Amino acid sequence: MITIKKLVDCSIAEAVTAWNQGFEGYFINATTTPEKFITRMFTEDLSPSLSIIAFENNVPIGIVMTGFRIVDGKKIAWNGGTGVSKEYRGKGIGKLLIEANLLNLKEESVSLATLEAISENKNAISLYKKLGYVIEDTVEFLTLNGKQRQNPIREFNPNYTVERAAPQQVGQLPFYKATNPWQTRWQSAKIGEGIIVKDDRADVLGYAYYHRIYNDQGEHTSTTMYQCEPKPGADTEEIIHRLAGTIFGDFNDDIIRTVPNLPINKSEKTYSVLKQIGFQTTAQQVYMLKAL
């Protein structure tokens, strides 16, 4: 008999087992540890009372990780991963989990459910569509690694200045993209840094926020840029170059540079400039929504 429990009523060991078995053989290596699992729950605002685990005979066989945030006074939820153990796939467990998850969201007065699914995962996308999700955009994970032969950033307009800001401050800008994919929002970059570009009249023309990673020796190893957006109507390419140049410098560092889940339509200008700079697509997903 299949039973479903909230994560808050389960052990971390059961949750990690459900996750690792649920994502065995997945398109990417999603294996986790108890320490990584707990850290991700905090970083991504995942909820132990909304996340659920499926069991058969007290053995975990599936999981849905879920969190919610308040955006413009409304609860917006995110499916942070749905996985089913290999031997139970194709038996309706995924549908059972998603239906239970959506019921929980409705009980919590969530207005909008969101998720991303790997574009090649046709079975999952088909299931989500049957349960009322619609594709909002295509998002890509971009990378540009190592030293570059030449600096791809244009010369800066001397009338533009860059100021430091906390990601939380960036999130208050009137043109901040609060509905971009979950992991690109400022809440997922709380420990990161933000920057804004202003003109000579002190008008804000663009923003970005990012996080630099250092190894145990204090060496800079990678930088993740979560959002990089110009103000509508501004000199978009100039602003994006200025923001990216401030974050990544002259691209002479031997580091990993990543931009996760960038919408290719909703953030069309940013996507175009980063591709021109040399960023390559390493993964593509569909961004899906369901009004509740």
Side-chain angles (χ1 to χ4, degrees), residues 149-166:
R149 292 183 178 180
Q150 62 182 23
N151 186 357
I153 300 298
R154 296 178 182 174
E155 291 187 9
F156 298 150
N157 184 328
N159 294 322
Y160 293 163
T161 58
V162 174
E163 295 183 4
R164 301 289 170 177

Side-chain angles (χ1 to χ4, degrees), residues 89-148:
R89 293 172 192 169
K91 298 181 179 180
I93 305 301
K95 182 174 182 289
L96 184 69
L97 280 165
I98 297 300
E99 288 176 336
N101 173 247
L102 291 172
L103 180 60
N104 285 343
L105 297 184
K106 289 178 182 178
E107 290 176 351
E108 288 292 329
S109 300
V110 169
S111 299
L112 184 70
T114 72
L115 60 82
E116 299 91 37
I118 297 288
S119 296
E120 294 90 345
N121 196 351
K122 304 301 183 184
N123 289 338
I125 294 171
S126 176
L127 172 61
Y128 292 132
K129 285 182 175 179
K130 288 178 182 177
L131 294 176
Y133 283 87
V134 295
I135 295 176
E136 171 75 3
D137 208 334
T138 298
V139 300
E140 293 189 356
F141 192 97
L142 304 180
T143 62
L144 178 59
N145 300 335
K147 295 182 179 181
Q148 303 302 300

